[in-house]
Amino acid sequence: MTFDAFKTKYASSLTDQQLAALRSAEGPVLLLAVPGSGKTTVLVLRLGYLILCRGVAPENILTMTYTVSAAKDMKERFAAIFGEDLAGRLEFRTINGVCARIIRLYEQRWGRKAFDLLSDEGECAGLIRQLYRDITQDFPTDGDIKAIQSAIAYAKNEMLNAEGIEDLGKTVDHFPALYRAYNETLRARFLMDYDDQMVYALAILRRCPDILDLLRRRWTYLCVDEAQDTSRIQHTIIDLLSTGNLFLVGDEDQSIYGFRAACPQALLNFEKNHPGAQVLLMETNFRSAAPIVAAADRFIRLNASRHPKTMVPARSGGKAVREIPLRDRRAQYRYLLKVAQNCSQETAVLYRDNDCALPLIDLLERNNIPYRKRQSDLTFFSNRVTRDLTDILRLSLVPDDREAFLRVYYKFGAGITRQAAEHAARFCPAGESLFAYLTDLEGLSDYAKMKSKALHTHLEHMRTERGDKAVYRIVHFMGYGDYLEERGADTSRTSILESLGEQEPSPARLLERLTELQSILQQSGTSDSPFLLSTIHSAKGLEYETVYLLDVADGILPKEGDDVDTEEERRLFYVGMTRAKEELNVFTFQSPSLSSSFSDCLFPKSPAAPIRPLSREFSARRASVRQVSAEEFYPGRAVLHKKFGPGRIVAREGDILTLRLEDGMEKRFSLSVALRSGALSFQQN
């Protein structure tokens, strides 16, 4: 078939950029496709072009996708255009599926049985749970298990060496020991996990040239979709399999899976790694209204690590991106409740993680408003911060709960020794408050007795308070917030629990409601409701008439911290923006603690003011009175803490400073966290 005939029959509506991509048959090609640019359509039509116009046998083409559902969808779309017979001769596989094929070939060629695949997620989590207990002598939360599983997958996809594994231990406690024990246990049981499939497949390709040669002769044309989400080990396997006719489709601006070791650098370095490569663009967005496209394009241009490209709309007109100014996070939920009550068209509320949606789900359920949610995640309820707060709430109701007491007594900065706590847990009479018992314990310091008395009083008063007031008391008046700050812990769950508590008259009811919400989240939302809740990650590749972006505030979206990839944070927000077809709404907040560098970029207060890169926004807010280094903070120096006031450093143990205030009280906190937040400076003479 001639190209003109093919174009007339199958591709008459394609743009010049799309047609150029379709005709790029030979050599290494990188197609950079902006959101909503019709990349799947072009990829499918290109397969037909290779077969019908270039005479390539379908059996010689391998198309790799990111998910099984994407592979199935692409095959169905090809069959709908070119027929079932041709579709049946093509291979559409995930990269894991390709690796499984390589392992099967190895078994057949060498007559050896490969390890069995550990495909049961429950069994895998159970193994990690047992190893965690063996190594730490402690019980992991569901969040701990999830973090360890993610770190294991990251290590294998990133092809980390021993030093890299050790570095992961800085963010995931006990990880190096757990990683070694996990892999040793799998090998001892003749098992491999999903990521091991890639590890073993790569080893086979490197050690068995006959198998590599067989596959290269079979698959002379490789097509890879969502290349920006492909990991380092996956790109290595693809490059080994390629004979030169490699077609990657992706967009580094949409790479948001860094926690899974996604490697957008492979796109940025494509020409360097593949001499003579073509880099083609598809810059027309057919999905979103013109104002949304313009705003998203301006926003993502602030990233430095990207190919130069300009996203343009296929249609003119449309509503401007709307700023919705509100007082605080709770006002979002009340606003969206009204939206859901009157929702008649497809509307998506998008957010960073599932925890963000809990207060909204709570309101929707209380008011019997139908909704859908794309996924459920119960790790909020077993998170250590949530568990601490619920333990303290229970102590207000059951003041002699010894187990809860022993889990939290040292988290108030009350100076209670472990010996004193264990004595109280053993000898305190049934029904008596453990903290009240400590106020008269012989040998306990006067300070600890005073603090124990204060904690007892707090717990007494808390019992009849509204749920949010009780949580606020724990965090801001009982010392637990200081404990979190000292350790640089994520405090976002405290505000979520406060929001949930606003609807409950007492701590007892708040605890009951948390149990009810766990049960609710295990069920599916109403399947036919137009009102949808989803993380941005789960919404990638999808589109909605109207989008609301939730919790756009520094520290939430975007995250902050020295280990945060600020450009990926920007890409995540960009992906969220470009899910919207007709309307995009962004909440902004009047509270100073909820400032947003992202919202400031979209809705600058001064039209003439230039938009600065995110990194500068962060550094401007984090700067101290003058630029200082951690080494300048040593015992004896007078400093000023934004929250605690003036004081003098009396001790430093690694990252933990002990500050003696003017009233004689001492506060311990993380130096690195205080410096990042701009909370600590030197007193001026």
Side-chain angles (χ1 to χ4, degrees):
M1 179 182 288
T2 66
F3 173 70
D4 287 341
F6 183 91
K7 178 182 175 182
T8 299
K9 185 172 183 179
Y10 300 112
S12 59
S13 63
L14 296 193
T15 67
D16 289 343
Q17 285 188 333
Q18 290 174 323
L19 288 171
L22 183 149
R23 299 187 73 178
S24 58
E26 308 297 326
V29 179
L30 172 62
L31 174 60
L32 297 171
V34 304
S37 60
K39 68 176 181 65
T40 304
T41 296
V42 169
L43 204 160
V44 168
L45 290 176
R46 181 179 179 274
L47 294 175
Y49 171 77
L50 288 175
I51 297 167
L52 300 177
C53 297
R54 302 302 292 263
V56 178
E59 292 79 7
N60 293 141
I61 304 173
L62 171 64
T63 301
M64 285 176 273
T65 63
Y66 191 60
T67 64
V68 173
S69 60
K72 180 182 178 184
D73 175 67
M74 199 173 296
K75 184 173 184 178
E76 290 174 349
R77 291 176 69 166
F78 182 92
I81 299 171
F82 300 105
E84 292 286 351
D85 289 343
L86 279 183
R89 295 169 61 190
L90 283 167
E91 287 199 58
F92 297 90
R93 294 178 179 269
T94 63
I95 297 181
N96 274 84
V98 171
C99 291
R101 174 79 176 275
I102 293 168
I103 292 170
R104 297 290 85 80
L105 280 174
Y106 177 82
E107 288 181 318
Q108 294 165 12
R109 183 59 60 94
W110 294 96
R112 298 177 182 176
K113 174 70 170 67
F115 291 167
D116 291 326
L117 181 64
L118 179 59
S119 57
D120 188 307
E121 292 185 7
E123 185 178 350
C124 182
L127 171 59
I128 293 172
R129 191 179 304 277
Q130 184 59 53
L131 292 172
Y132 188 97
R133 290 184 60 185
D134 293 342
I135 290 170
T136 70
Q137 306 301 307
D138 194 6
F139 291 89
T141 66
D142 291 342
D144 293 331
I145 299 296
K146 186 175 180 180
I148 293 165
Q149 288 177 313
S150 294
I152 289 171
Y154 181 88
K156 294 179 180 181
N157 277 271
E158 191 66 14
M159 303 168 66
L160 293 182
N161 57 20
E163 183 179 352
I165 299 297
E166 291 296 326
D167 285 342
L168 265 185
K170 297 175 183 177
T171 54
V172 180
D173 291 342
H174 313 288
F175 180 71
L178 285 163
Y179 185 71
R180 288 190 294 269
Y182 173 78
N183 288 324
E184 289 168 2
T185 303
L186 288 185
R187 285 193 294 271
R189 298 181 183 179
F190 301 101
L191 294 172
M192 60 179 170
D193 62 20
Y194 277 108
D195 298 300
D196 281 329
Q197 288 185 119
M198 294 182 291
V199 174
Y200 293 139
L202 178 57
I204 290 168
L205 294 178
R206 284 173 168 171
R207 297 174 186 175
C208 304
D210 57 329
I211 292 178
L212 177 58
D213 182 63
L214 174 68
L215 293 174
R216 281 177 163 175
R217 284 187 283 109
R218 172 65 182 268
W219 296 322
T220 54
Y221 288 80
L222 299 184
C223 306
V224 182
D225 192 20
E226 301 288 7
Q228 77 280 345
D229 297 329
T230 306
S231 69
R232 188 179 304 277
I233 192 171
Q234 291 169 342
H235 278 293
T236 303
I237 291 168
I238 290 167
D239 287 344
L240 275 174
L241 290 173
S242 173
T243 58
N245 297 323
L246 174 62
F247 185 73
L248 294 188
V249 185
D251 179 12
E252 72 280 350
D253 289 338
Q254 299 181 71
S255 183
I256 60 174
Y257 291 106
F259 61 93
R260 296 180 186 169
C263 187
Q265 294 79 14
L267 277 63
L268 296 171
N269 298 326
F270 188 77
E271 292 170 284
K272 176 183 175 182
N273 296 334
H274 300 85
Q278 297 183 72
V279 177
L280 304 177
L281 300 176
M282 292 199 327
E283 298 170 293
T284 302
N285 180 307
F286 295 91
R287 173 189 299 151
S288 303
I292 298 172
V293 171
D297 184 67
R298 287 196 306 271
F299 182 81
I300 200 60
R301 283 171 178 266
L302 298 177
N303 271 2
S305 300
R306 63 188 299 268
H307 287 89
K309 50 186 175 293
T310 301
M311 181 168 61
V312 295
R315 53 193 170 98
S316 59
K319 297 181 179 179
V321 178
R322 184 165 64 124
E323 177 184 14
I324 305 177
L326 297 173
R327 182 169 55 85
D328 54 24
R329 291 178 75 182
R330 297 188 197 183
Q332 295 174 112
Y333 314 133
R334 293 189 287 270
Y335 186 101
L336 289 169
L337 177 65
K338 294 179 181 178
V339 172
Q341 287 172 329
N342 301 286
C343 186
S344 58
Q345 67 173 8
E346 189 177 44
T347 300
V349 180
L350 305 182
Y351 37 83
R352 162 177 285 288
D353 57 50
N354 287 291
D355 292 356
C356 296
L358 282 174
L360 178 56
I361 290 173
D362 181 53
L363 277 181
L364 294 170
E365 290 285 343
R366 289 175 184 276
N367 290 274
N368 295 314
I369 305 299
Y371 65 96
R372 287 181 291 147
K373 60 181 186 299
R374 284 191 55 80
Q375 68 290 110
S376 294
D377 186 343
L378 301 178
T379 55
F380 173 84
F381 301 96
S382 62
N383 175 266
R384 294 186 186 279
V385 173
T386 306
R387 193 171 64 180
D388 285 346
L389 290 169
T390 53
D391 275 342
I392 298 166
L393 292 172
R394 287 191 184 93
L395 277 171
S396 73
L397 305 172
V398 187
D400 63 345
D401 186 330
R402 286 155 170 76
E403 292 184 0
F405 170 77
L406 288 174
R407 286 194 293 266
V408 300
Y409 75 89
Y410 60 91
K411 299 180 180 182
F412 301 108
I416 301 169
T417 64
R418 181 173 182 82
Q419 181 181 10
E422 290 177 344
H423 178 90
R426 183 177 179 185
F427 295 106
C428 178
E432 182 177 335
S433 165
L434 286 151
F435 284 107
Y437 179 84
L438 287 170
T439 60
D440 297 319
L441 184 63
E442 186 177 346
L444 196 63
S445 70
D446 290 341
Y447 173 76
K449 288 180 179 179
M450 176 190 70
K451 293 292 290 185
S452 296
K453 183 176 181 180
L455 290 170
H456 168 66
T457 301
H458 278 304
L459 292 170
E460 286 275 303
H461 290 168
M462 184 195 307
R463 189 178 303 156
T464 56
E465 284 183 323
R466 200 173 68 190
D468 59 332
K469 303 293 186 184
V471 174
Y472 189 88
R473 178 190 290 270
I474 293 168
V475 175
H476 297 281
F477 299 132
M478 293 176 66
Y480 182 69
D482 294 339
Y483 168 82
L484 295 178
E485 184 176 345
E486 287 172 8
R487 285 151 183 79
D490 181 3
T491 59
S492 61
R493 290 175 179 84
T494 65
S495 60
I496 291 171
L497 203 57
E498 273 189 60
S499 296
L500 295 173
E502 184 180 22
Q503 309 298 319
E504 301 298 349
S506 67
R509 256 308 300 165
L510 175 55
L511 291 172
E512 291 174 2
R513 184 57 178 168
L514 290 175
T515 300
E516 294 166 2
L517 281 173
Q518 288 187 68
S519 176
I520 288 169
L521 289 173
Q522 290 171 334
Q523 305 167 16
S524 298
T526 307
S527 60
D528 59 351
S529 170
F531 191 74
L532 173 76
L533 311 180
S534 175
T535 63
I536 297 175
H537 287 97
S538 293
K540 187 171 179 292
L542 304 176
E543 56 187 38
Y544 309 97
E545 291 294 319
T546 300
V547 166
Y548 289 86
L549 291 174
L550 191 71
D551 282 339
V552 182
D554 295 341
I556 307 172
L557 178 61
K559 280 188 176 180
E560 293 182 306
D562 291 341
D563 59 341
V564 172
D565 183 342
T566 55
E567 293 215 343
E568 180 161 327
E569 292 300 296
R570 188 178 294 281
R571 295 194 294 265
L572 182 66
F573 190 70
Y574 172 75
V575 168
M577 293 177 71
T578 53
R579 299 312 93 197
K581 293 196 289 187
E582 301 298 336
E583 295 183 32
L584 175 62
N585 306 281
V586 181
F587 294 110
T588 58
F589 305 104
Q590 298 167 2
S591 170
S593 64
L594 293 171
S595 61
S596 170
S597 54
F598 284 1
S599 295
D600 289 347
C601 288
L602 292 180
F603 314 110
K605 300 301 178 281
S606 171
I611 298 177
R612 295 179 295 173
L614 176 61
S615 57
R616 295 180 187 173
E617 298 283 346
F618 278 175
S619 60
R621 287 198 312 278
R622 291 175 180 162
S624 300
V625 175
R626 64 177 178 84
Q627 293 297 318
V628 295
S629 66
E631 287 70 24
E632 295 181 70
F633 292 86
Y634 48 80
R637 296 213 67 170
V639 297
L640 179 66
H641 194 284
K642 186 165 62 177
K643 177 179 179 181
F644 304 139
R648 190 171 297 275
I649 300 171
V650 294
R652 177 174 175 182
E653 300 174 11
D655 186 51
I656 302 300
L657 281 190
T658 301
L659 182 64
R660 181 169 293 153
L661 307 179
E662 292 182 341
D663 61 2
M665 297 286 288
E666 292 187 355
K667 293 290 185 180
R668 299 177 77 247
F669 54 87
S670 165
L671 173 60
S672 60
V673 171
L675 290 179
R676 284 202 303 271
S677 63
L680 196 63
S681 60
F682 292 117
Q683 291 192 47
Q684 302 299 307
N685 295 325

